Amino acid sequence: MPRQVVVDAIDEAMDGHRLIHLRGNAGVGKSSVFRTIAERVISVSSAFVLDPVRIPAGGWSELALRLGISVTAREFLTDLASFGATVVFIDSLDMFDDPARRSTVNDLLREIAQIPGVAVLTTARLDYGRDGDDWLANDALASLGTPKIIEVGDLSDDEVQALQEQAPQLKALLKSHHPAASISRNLYRLSRLLKVGDPSSIRTEADLALDWWRTADGAPRREISSAQRLLSDLVDVALGAGRRRIRVKTGHTGISNGRGTGASGFGISSMSMEYFPKRRIFART
């Protein structure tokens, strides 16, 4: 569901702002809105997407190397802007934990601020910046002008009605007296409820998590036990002190305490993850 009211709000904001912040809690549809706006921009002009996974450390020079270009950041962005109104999308600000990757983004942001016709749309969780953790360059933000902050919440009554009309199978789940009414207006949780064999047994987010833990969305039993052991190891890392890494390979994981865990069945050949206590997340490294 594209959250049309939010999409319309962004369209309106772009008429008078160069910097737009899209904020919302997990599962409310920020990614869907982000994708809708990006696809619309790409269809008529130019867009450039920065995210915490693909953006390299090392500033513009490293990013230019990845892109296979030999011009300055300003030349690159000016060229993009020549095709019409350009939007640079910065996804998941709260997931950028590497200072060197942040530096690459800020290199671009400072150049963007000097080029008329280039706007910036960012996404982040609702509480981003409240603890002084906003890392975007202040000088660039000042040059971009007053930002517009658009919050994405749970589904409104009008959106629920539209969703019920588009997908009749959701009518029961979205009724105000359904046992899971307190969580069904979050799009992500609603998608999880659709996978539950008996949605009437789900009343809270904890019930939903327990069902997922037991069934893994219908995965084969032999894979569920492997997944549970892997998640158990991740919890051990998260509850430990400081920042720790976990190594996942086909057939086992290896963490600092030497414990091995079955991890086959995930399509994982080899992967390292690091836990960042401040953000309470695991990030692939």
Side-chain angles (χ1 to χ4, degrees):
M1 187 175 184
R3 307 301 306 269
Q4 191 59 48
V5 172
V6 180
V7 171
D8 292 343
I10 293 174
D11 286 340
E12 182 179 349
M14 284 186 171
D15 288 337
H17 300 268
R18 293 187 63 195
L19 178 61
I20 302 165
H21 297 307
L22 190 63
R23 299 288 182 266
N25 291 323
V28 296
K30 295 190 302 296
S31 296
S32 176
V33 171
F34 189 84
R35 183 168 56 251
T36 297
I37 296 296
E39 290 174 349
R40 181 180 299 178
V41 171
I42 291 171
S43 70
V44 296
S45 56
S46 302
F48 193 58
V49 180
L50 307 174
D51 66 48
V53 175
R54 286 181 287 270
I55 193 74
W60 167 252
S61 59
E62 182 61 28
L63 180 56
L65 184 63
R66 297 279 186 93
L67 296 173
I69 57 179
S70 56
V71 297
T72 65
R74 184 167 300 189
E75 289 170 334
F76 171 73
L77 292 164
T78 300
D79 187 53
L80 283 182
S82 68
F83 292 98
T86 297
V87 181
V88 174
F89 296 86
I90 309 176
D91 194 19
S92 302
L93 291 177
D94 46 320
M95 300 290 281
F96 280 85
D97 284 286
D98 182 355
R101 293 177 189 267
R102 293 178 177 183
S103 178
T104 300
V105 173
N106 280 326
D107 277 357
L108 280 169
L109 197 62
R110 290 187 174 96
E111 297 299 336
I112 290 167
Q114 305 305 315
I115 303 172
V118 180
V120 178
L121 173 63
T122 75
T123 70
R125 296 287 177 91
L126 198 57
D127 60 354
Y128 171 75
R130 291 180 181 174
D131 295 327
D133 54 352
D134 186 350
W135 53 268
L136 294 176
N138 288 328
D139 55 333
L141 296 179
S143 297
L144 286 168
T146 304
K148 177 66 175 180
I149 300 175
I150 298 174
E151 293 188 4
V152 188
D154 287 340
L155 296 174
S156 66
D157 291 342
D158 289 341
E159 288 174 318
V160 166
Q161 182 177 348
L163 195 54
Q164 288 173 326
E165 293 172 356
Q166 295 170 16
Q169 69 272 25
L170 297 178
K171 284 186 177 180
L173 279 172
L174 290 169
K175 288 182 177 179
S176 59
H177 60 269
H178 189 278
S182 63
I183 62 174
S184 62
R185 291 198 172 198
N186 178 285
L187 282 174
Y188 175 76
R189 294 172 191 146
L190 178 60
S191 71
R192 298 296 91 198
L193 282 168
L194 288 172
K195 296 179 180 290
V196 175
D198 179 17
S200 64
S201 66
I202 305 298
R203 296 175 180 272
T204 66
E205 190 173 357
D207 292 335
L208 191 60
L210 181 59
D211 180 84
W212 176 82
W213 173 263
R214 290 170 174 167
T215 67
D217 290 343
R221 170 52 56 182
R222 65 181 182 279
E223 295 181 8
I224 293 175
S225 58
S226 295
Q228 290 172 338
R229 289 194 296 271
L230 175 57
L231 289 171
S232 178
D233 276 349
L234 292 175
V235 170
D236 287 344
V237 172
L239 294 179
R243 293 169 54 169
R244 299 173 63 188
R245 294 178 182 271
I246 182 170
R247 181 74 175 175
V248 181
K249 294 184 179 180
T250 300
H252 73 279
T253 64
I255 58 177
S256 59
N257 63 11
R259 178 181 172 187
T261 300
S264 59
F266 296 101
I268 298 172
S269 57
S270 179
M271 179 176 67
S272 291
M273 291 183 289
E274 185 170 356
Y275 181 67
F276 295 87
K278 183 178 180 181
R279 302 304 307 171
R280 297 189 297 278
I281 60 169
F282 281 92
R284 188 168 181 170
T285 57

